[in-house]
DNA sequence: CAGTGGTCTAGACCACGGT
DNA sequence: CCGTGGTCTAGACCACTGG
């Protein structure tokens, strides 16, 4: 610590973490106040503050005014999955990406969709089916519904060239979404497109996207057999 | 903004976000420097800095010394899943949680496990099978391997009362992990424990945990049929 | 080399929430 | 009430990197 350079908030973080891992501060322990720690580490309170703040953002500490900072008892771990566009995912595995638009229909929203996305009944939506290939092997089947009201330009877009996901990401870059993963059995259509046997277990990702309380799109991606979604934390 | 209170980094974040969403700063735009923004917003540079730093942590901005801050072109979205212990997950759905230890064996690590966890060959490991129930309905089947070297106390632990996950979380609270989700077909054993038909698609989560470069545990959780793992972002 | 973000400091005031 | 974290400020120096 006293090696000539000033103590950085990184140093503080690391030392606090060490004390937790080494049971110097077991779970539940109340840490010294920021002022005391600042004195001990020979740095400004703001430096300690940033260190502790980041640790609490990582769910390692609990901070409350007046009662102080304590080591979390049961840290809820968070797995962070990077949801990138399919093209990038394929290309990052050094494979050749290919995309095909299978179907495109502009229709009034079916009832289940209106209910799910809180659309006015008879709202026009765009229904798309797409395939994504990795080295010409089926990689992902995409079944997507788009609320035309929120992205009218989609009707004119050339979706033969660029996938709807990429198009939407350019158009509506920052939106709210709910995502879910599940397992399902391949039905006839999925088996056809993904070259599977009917009933084969497939990994699915379903995502609903909202922009300022209005639904933009609902998509279900079905992956090729054996696909794994991986993350570190 | 000029309502008497000082401008907070929250205000800055929100305003910057608004300008991005309203296409005042389209994707790729280089933002004014922190100093200019601080002047514009009437606050200190540190305030702007914190706002922009947090936005870049959210993958909305790209920041580089010298070249400045720009709006990310293709923001990689991150889905953050809270991985809590099963008991909590069940209890949060207002159901009654029950846990059962099915099998417990202390054996030398099989070769595939040694390879996967980088264990010395013949390292002793603990192999556990557990069931978790929600309202007495099968909820999750847990198949776990524990490296005894890293957590010797596990041998003495009473795993009839508390699940190994909870026990480990208390003992080794802060560790590195790799997690992956996938779909599989239920084999005979899974079908038995989870009351499924053989071949039914099931959702699986596999997790490897490391503490300071040493493997702690490898676990595969298989969920009841129809399970969905959900998150917002 | 010079411009931009990255960080530290010392001091100040505020806001929440136990006692 | 009053202790603790939450935040802002003004100024300073540093570190990286593009030209």
């Amino acid at each position: 610590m006293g090696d000539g350079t000033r103590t950085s908030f990184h140093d503080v973080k690391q030392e606090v973490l060490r004390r937790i891992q080494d049971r110097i501060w077991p779970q539940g322990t109340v840490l010294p106040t920021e002022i005391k720690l600042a004195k001990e580490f020979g740095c400004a309170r703001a430096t300690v503050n940033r260190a502790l703040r980041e640790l609490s953002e990582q769910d390692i500490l609990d901070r409350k005014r007046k009662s102080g900072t304590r080591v979390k008892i049961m840290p809820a771990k968070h797995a962070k999955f990077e949801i990138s566009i399919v093209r990038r995912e394929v290309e990052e595995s050094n494979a050749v990406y290919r995309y095909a638009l299978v179907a495109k229909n502009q229709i009034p929203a079916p009832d289940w969709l209106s209910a799910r996305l809180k659309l006015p009944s008879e709202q026009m939506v765009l229904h798309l089916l797409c395939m994504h290939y990795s080295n010409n092997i089926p990689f992902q089947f995409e079944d997507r519904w788009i609320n035309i009201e929120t992205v009218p330009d989609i009707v004119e877009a050339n979706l033969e060239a660029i996938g709807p996901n990429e198009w939407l990401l350019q158009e509506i870059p920052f939106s709210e979404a709910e995502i879910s993963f599940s397992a399902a059995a391949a039905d006839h259509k999925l088996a056809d497109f993904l070259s599977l046997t009917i009933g084969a277990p497939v990994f699915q990702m379903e995502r609903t996207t909202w922009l300022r309380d209005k639904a933009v799109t609902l998509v279900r991606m079905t992956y090729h057999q054996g696909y794994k979604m991986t993350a570190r934390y």
Side-chain angles (χ1 to χ4, degrees), chain A residues 15 22 41 96 111 128 136 174 184 186 200 211:
Chain A
E15 174 61 12
D22 290 356
F41 290 124
V96 176
D111 289 342
L128 300 169
N136 275 322
F174 307 103
L211 184 65

Side-chain angles (χ1 to χ4, degrees), chain A residues 4-230:
Chain A
T5 78
R6 288 188 292 187
T7 35
S8 133
F9 74 95
H10 285 113
D11 303 330
V12 178
K13 269 178 84 167
Q14 201 172 322
E15 174 61 12
V16 170
L17 256 183
R18 191 190 65 75
R19 292 187 188 179
I20 294 174
Q21 290 185 338
D22 290 356
R23 313 293 180 89
I24 297 170
W25 289 336
Q27 297 171 64
T29 308
V30 178
L31 271 61
T33 67
E34 294 187 342
I35 304 197
K36 286 182 193 162
L37 286 174
K39 267 183 206 147
E40 184 197 333
F41 290 124
C43 64
R45 179 164 83 97
T47 305
V48 174
N49 180 278
R50 175 153 179 200
L52 298 189
R53 173 159 39 86
E54 292 195 356
L55 286 172
S56 84
E57 279 164 6
Q58 290 169 44
D59 264 325
I60 288 172
L61 298 177
D62 250 348
R63 317 196 74 199
K64 266 186 209 160
R65 286 160 151 133
K66 169 77 181 180
S67 45
T69 302
R70 63 178 59 220
V71 183
K72 260 214 165 176
I73 308 248
M74 276 296 231
K77 304 245 178 178
H78 292 270
K80 210 171 165 188
F81 290 85
E82 184 172 326
I83 310 293
S84 60
I85 51 178
V86 203
R87 179 172 59 73
R88 194 174 294 177
E89 191 176 352
V90 168
E91 285 171 354
E92 274 170 6
S93 66
N94 289 317
V96 176
Y97 171 72
R98 190 164 72 79
Y99 155 77
L101 179 61
V102 174
K104 176 178 172 182
N105 286 297
Q106 193 170 333
I107 55 173
D111 289 342
W112 65 268
L113 186 65
S114 299
R116 181 114 176 238
L117 300 186
K118 295 176 191 157
L119 302 176
S121 76
E122 301 294 304
Q123 166 70 50
M124 287 303 282
V125 294
L126 196 63
H127 184 204
L128 300 169
L129 300 180
C130 314
M131 273 299 300
H132 304 268
Y133 300 88
S134 169
N135 283 339
N136 275 322
I137 299 166
F139 184 82
Q140 186 193 80
F141 177 75
E142 173 176 357
D143 184 334
R144 181 184 292 271
W145 300 83
I146 301 174
N147 177 5
I148 290 179
E149 191 196 5
T150 51
V151 263
D153 292 351
I154 189 81
V155 180
E156 316 294 337
N158 175 14
L159 294 175
E160 309 281 346
I162 181 178
N165 199 353
E166 276 185 78
W167 191 92
L168 284 167
L169 211 49
Q170 307 242 358
E171 201 69 11
I172 312 278
F174 307 103
S175 44
E176 287 292 306
E178 179 178 291
I179 192 167
S180 73
F181 296 150
S182 60
D187 60 12
H188 181 74
K189 187 197 274 180
L190 288 174
D192 264 6
F193 278 110
L194 293 170
S195 307
L196 305 172
T197 55
I198 292 178
V202 287
F203 184 80
Q204 292 189 320
M205 173 171 93
E206 201 171 272
R207 187 172 45 192
T208 317
T209 305
W210 304 80
L211 184 65
R212 291 183 179 132
D213 298 328
K214 287 211 171 177
V216 177
T217 183
L218 164 64
V219 60
R220 172 180 290 167
M221 323 274 211
T222 305
Y223 286 83
H224 66 87
Q225 203 162 13
Y227 178 81
K228 286 194 177 193
M229 178 75 72
T230 302

